């Protein structure tokens, strides 16, 4: 199963290699480009994207003698160029409530991300309601309640095993009644039975559209950086289930440098709203293409 989560952490670009090795300056030739391509692939960028980035790098520089620093900064520049258009915070609309559906596989960091986002919105003066839509996992509901308390945001729950769509509908009603600015809906992330999950998500969407035909206004897919290229498959699967409007990449504080984000930007051009950089409530940063590219190229 391509969606089997691969827990092997992704290596950053190797620091001491033949490419960035002894020679102070090297000619940017085919051999050099091939080595750079391999480096990018090993950073989890995927073959297609690595090929494209090195081709862009070669343009106007092929045959020139470059220092290691010059190559690194040119590479970072090419990566940042791909990433700049997708670095976009979650848009806030003048809608009450703005409905944010949060999807992703279990363990990707959905609950944590909802808590962090709720806290940021709250601090920005927005009133937020959270709906614990993963009604089949009691632990997930409990975790979300903990995050709600931390963020100072109410969490609506339903009996274990009850219909998530009906909870979503009740949460919409409550959010409207309270005049809440934002309603964030957590969802299940079990991919063992994809048909089931798809039915569940489409029912939630159908039901909330009875209240607001434009809802959900955002469908945010949460991805775990440590799953590497697997994230590409996850985007493909979730795009079939829901109209994914943006991404949050979690666990970029670990060994994973998130080369897969470059693949995602290259393949799907979906906005990257934020990145998770730890387990605490404030560990959610805006995505910075320059900083990211610099970290990736070492
Ligand atoms: P869910 O099943 O998708 O709701 O995932 P959770 O929110 O429960 O997160 C799964 C695990 O990943 C938890 O142990 C979180 O603390 C951890 N986690 C989530 N986001 C981050 C992050 O950005 N960095 C780190 N290091 N851990 C994270």
């Amino acid at each position: 199963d391509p969606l089997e989560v691969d827990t092997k952490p992704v290596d950053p670009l190797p620091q001491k290699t033949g490419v960035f090795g002894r020679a102070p300056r090297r000619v940017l030739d085919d051999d050099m480009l091939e080595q750079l391509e391999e480096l990018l692939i090993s950073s989890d960028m995927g073959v297609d994207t690595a090929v494209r980035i090195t081709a862009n790098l070669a343009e106007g520089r092929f045959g020139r003698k470059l220092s290691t620093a010059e190559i690194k900064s040119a590479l970072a520049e090419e990566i940042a160029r791909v990433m700049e258009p997708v670095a976009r915070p979650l848009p806030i609309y003048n809608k009450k409530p703005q409905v944010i559906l949060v999807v992703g596989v279990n363990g990707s960091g959905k609950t944590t991300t909802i808590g962090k986002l709720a806290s940021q919105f709250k601090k920005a003066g927005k009133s937020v309601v959270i709906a614990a839509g993963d009604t089949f996992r009691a632990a997930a509901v409990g975790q979300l309640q903990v995050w709600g308390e931390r963020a100072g945001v109410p969490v609506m729950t339903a009996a274990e095993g009850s219909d998530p769509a009906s909870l979503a509908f009740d949460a919409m009603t409550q959010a409207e009644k309270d005049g809440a600015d934002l309603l964030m809906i957590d969802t299940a992330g079990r991919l063992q039975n994809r048909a089931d999950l798809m039915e569940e998500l489409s029912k939630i969407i159908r039901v909330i559209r009875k209240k607001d035909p434009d809802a959900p206004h955002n469908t945010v897919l949460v991805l775990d950086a440590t799953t590497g290229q697997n994230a590409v498959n996850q985007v493909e699967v979730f795009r079939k289930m829901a109209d994914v409007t943006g991404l949050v990449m979690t666990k970029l504080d670990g060994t994973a440098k998130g080369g897969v984000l470059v693949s995602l930007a290259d393949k799907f051009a979906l906005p990257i709203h934020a990145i998770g950089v730890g387990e605490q409530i404030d560990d959610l940063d805006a995505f910075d293409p320059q900083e990211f590219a610099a970290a990736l190229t070492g």
Side-chain angles (χ1 to χ4, degrees):
D1 185 337
L3 286 166
E4 202 60 47
V5 172
D6 178 3
T7 50
K8 186 170 64 67
V10 177
D11 292 328
L13 278 182
Q15 299 295 304
K16 292 190 178 66
T17 65
V19 184
F20 296 144
R22 283 156 301 259
R25 287 166 87 82
R26 278 195 49 177
V27 175
L28 190 65
D29 55 11
D30 282 327
D31 182 46
M32 173 72 148
L33 287 171
E34 204 172 298
Q35 289 182 56
L36 284 171
E37 223 169 78
E38 274 165 29
L39 274 182
L40 295 180
I41 292 167
S42 77
S43 86
D44 229 15
M45 204 174 278
V47 177
D48 299 349
T49 306
V51 168
R52 209 177 337 276
I53 297 268
T54 43
N56 290 348
L57 180 81
E59 229 181 277
R61 298 189 186 93
F62 194 79
R64 271 172 52 192
K65 234 183 184 171
L66 299 169
S67 71
T68 301
E70 283 168 331
I71 292 171
K72 277 192 190 188
S73 88
L75 202 53
E77 204 180 289
E78 293 304 337
I79 293 169
R81 204 198 303 280
V82 176
M83 303 313 288
E84 266 153 21
V86 298
R88 294 210 296 274
L90 193 74
I92 298 299
Y93 306 114
N94 200 6
K95 264 273 172 191
K96 268 183 187 230
Q98 175 174 340
V99 182
I100 304 168
L101 194 66
V102 183
V103 300
V105 301
N106 288 341
S108 61
K110 276 195 307 290
T111 308
T112 308
T113 301
I114 290 172
K116 291 171 177 176
L117 281 171
S119 166
Q120 288 193 357
F121 291 140
K122 184 86 192 290
K123 282 184 183 158
K126 301 279 176 194
S127 54
V128 185
V129 174
I130 295 172
D134 191 357
T135 59
F136 285 84
R137 282 199 309 163
V141 174
Q143 269 302 106
L144 204 52
Q145 282 173 314
V146 171
W147 277 106
E149 267 165 43
R150 282 182 195 143
V153 164
V155 177
M156 287 196 62
T157 61
E160 192 177 343
S162 65
D163 183 4
S166 135
L167 171 67
F169 188 83
D170 292 346
M172 272 297 267
T173 310
Q174 190 66 41
E176 280 172 356
K177 205 174 118 217
D178 295 350
D181 296 308
L182 296 151
L183 167 62
M184 301 179 72
I185 304 177
D186 189 20
T187 60
R190 34 169 219 292
L191 283 176
Q192 294 85 339
N193 189 338
R194 274 180 228 178
D196 249 20
L197 183 57
M198 185 180 298
E199 180 46 42
E200 190 170 312
L201 289 178
S202 50
K203 191 171 173 197
I204 292 174
I205 294 165
R206 228 164 37 234
V207 160
I208 57 179
R209 281 188 181 155
K210 284 187 187 158
K211 290 249 165 210
D212 179 349
D214 295 329
H217 305 90
N218 314 85
T219 300
V220 176
L221 172 60
V222 177
L223 299 165
D224 174 345
T226 65
T227 64
Q229 273 288 305
N230 196 279
V232 175
N233 302 73
Q234 291 181 16
V235 175
E236 274 159 0
V237 167
F238 277 95
R239 288 228 301 186
K240 284 184 194 139
M241 299 197 199
D243 177 21
V244 174
T245 55
L247 308 174
V248 171
M249 178 70 73
T250 65
K251 308 184 198 180
L252 276 168
D253 49 308
T255 44
K257 289 283 180 255
V260 65
L261 271 175
V262 187
S263 296
L264 297 174
D266 186 35
K267 279 189 208 305
F268 305 107
L270 283 165
I272 299 165
H273 295 316
I275 55 168
V277 291
E279 298 185 80
Q280 304 304 312
I281 200 156
D282 292 325
D283 294 334
L284 188 77
D285 289 348
F287 177 70
D288 181 332
Q290 266 77 29
E291 202 179 294
F292 169 81
L296 197 63
T297 48

